[in-house]
Amino acid sequence: MTPEISQRRMPGMLKLTLGVLVFQVLANGFIGFLIIDEISRRSSHGARTPNAGLLYFVGFLSIAIALTLLACVLLAATRQSWIRPTIIGIEVLGLISGVINLFSGQVTAFAGIGLAIGVLAMVNREDVRDFFS
């Protein structure tokens, strides 16, 4: 196999990474929707929600992250140079968020931390770096 052909093909680990990112897109979008829907439902019934503005921000941020990751997944085959740093940036934010959640007592943060570390490890492989360069 010549190097030219191997550079055109998407590495297997990148395909696995894109699968994990699709899961994250669905999870972030769903959680963001649930947060916004719950705050809207409470306010429409006259209930007062403390920190509603912050919760709206978190909900819309979660949806924005989902849409950004979706764009990265859909455009990965085009080998755009901005895709890899965008994925790394979002996963670093997810890692920091997971650590903060872990210190606040949420044991489920281990799953988010594990996914972020896994995606970061796969995106930083040499064949994936070469694919996007």
Side-chain angles (χ1 to χ4, degrees), residues 10-83:
M10 186 179 291
M13 285 307 243
L14 180 57
K15 291 178 185 177
L16 177 63
T17 302
L18 295 177
V20 172
L21 292 179
V22 167
F23 171 74
Q24 286 183 333
V25 164
L26 295 173
N28 276 333
F30 183 65
I31 294 297
F33 171 77
L34 285 180
I35 290 171
I36 293 169
D37 185 54
E38 181 64 22
I39 299 303
S40 298
R41 187 185 61 76
R42 285 185 181 189
S43 66
S44 69
H45 288 94
R48 191 162 195 282
T49 304
N51 299 324
L54 179 63
L55 291 173
Y56 271 120
F57 174 75
V58 169
F60 283 116
L61 180 65
S62 183
I63 290 173
I65 288 172
L67 292 174
T68 304
L69 285 177
L70 180 63
C72 290
V73 169
L74 294 177
L75 296 174
T78 63
R79 302 173 73 165
Q80 301 285 327
S81 61
W82 58 268
I83 293 174

Side-chain angles (χ1 to χ4, degrees), residues 104-117:
S104 67
Q106 296 180 2
V107 181
T108 57
F110 281 119
I113 292 171
L115 280 175
I117 290 172

Side-chain angles (χ1 to χ4, degrees), residues 7 38 85-86 89 108 125 130:
Q7 287 181 356
E38 181 64 22
T86 303
T108 57
R125 289 174 46 106
D130 291 341

